[in-house]
Amino acid sequence: MMAPTEAEFVAYVARKEARGEVPRDFDGYSEALERWAHAQQVGDAWAVRIQAGLDCRDDRGYDREVYYSTDIGRRFHDIGVELDVAAHEVGDTGWEA
């Protein structure tokens, strides 16, 4: 990922200050964006492997990003198929910390 533009950083600072929060400096913001980008890549790769292994398809009721209303508010689920799989049954996801 490339470093954020000056306009992106200025918009970030404005959002943080509007919420009364202290924004990171430019280097800290860039590092945080890099970490989030890496986490997104790991999460996407994991989801693809899990979906393939569980045969998640639209015709089986799969929906990639679903929001459910619950009694404690809206909740996000990235796999909308009911899964009855223990973690040890999933196997190696290829994820590395």
Side-chain angles (χ1 to χ4, degrees):
M1 179 174 165
M2 296 180 2
T5 65
E6 183 178 347
E8 291 168 332
F9 180 68
V10 169
Y12 157 76
V13 170
R15 285 191 308 273
K16 284 294 200 175
E17 289 176 346
R19 292 189 298 229
E21 300 171 356
V22 178
R24 301 172 192 259
D25 62 13
F26 186 82
D27 290 337
Y29 178 62
S30 297
E31 290 171 11
L33 287 181
E34 190 69 33
R35 283 193 308 274
W36 279 107
H38 176 72
Q40 183 69 46
Q41 288 175 335
V42 170
D44 288 347
W46 182 87
V48 166
R49 290 189 69 172
I50 295 302
Q51 292 161 10
L54 297 173
D55 196 24
C56 294
R57 299 186 321 255
D58 293 340
D59 62 340
R60 293 184 62 226
Y62 169 75
D63 195 358
R64 172 82 170 106
E65 297 176 347
V66 179
Y67 287 89
Y68 294 99
S69 293
T70 69
D71 57 348
I72 57 173
R74 288 172 47 91
R75 295 293 178 258
F76 171 78
H77 298 273
D78 66 347
I79 297 179
V81 175
E82 289 198 28
L83 305 176
D84 186 18
V85 179
H88 69 277
E89 293 176 314
V90 172
D92 179 25
T93 63
W95 182 80
E96 296 180 18

